[in-house]
Amino acid sequence: KQYLDYFHQDFVGISGDKVQIDKTVKALGGVYSLNKDEGEFYTVDHSARIFIVGPQARRYGIMESSSMASPDKSVLVKELTLLSE
């Protein structure tokens, strides 16, 4: 929750033990790596994609994170529209 507070209030976070997290990441098609050699405050490298997941845990699609960064938001709207078809 503390980390999620850095993002939009509508974001929903999930967590679990390592086995559950690994299973979910694999099912979505993502990857991650913990960098615990950095000490108490470690970083996590992870997929730079946006996974669109419905309430029933069905993955609808994957978007490149670059579409979110584009100043032209029509790029994002176009990608979301294609996912809903």
Side-chain angles (χ1 to χ4, degrees), residues 19-84:
V19 172
Q20 293 168 318
I21 292 169
D22 289 349
K23 182 179 176 182
T24 302
V25 169
K26 183 178 179 181
L28 291 174
V31 294
Y32 76 97
S33 173
L34 299 176
N35 302 308
K36 291 203 170 192
D37 292 341
E38 299 173 7
E40 180 184 355
F41 300 103
Y42 60 89
T43 60
V44 179
D45 294 329
H46 55 78
S47 305
R49 303 212 174 0
I50 300 159
F51 298 90
I52 308 298
V53 180
Q56 302 302 319
R58 178 179 175 261
R59 186 184 79 193
Y60 287 93
I62 301 174
M63 295 173 40
E64 297 289 329
S65 57
S66 59
S67 10
M68 294 293 286
S70 173
D72 179 3
K73 294 307 175 197
S74 69
V75 173
L76 176 60
V77 171
K78 181 179 177 182
E79 284 200 41
L80 289 170
T81 302
L82 290 172
L83 288 175
S84 67

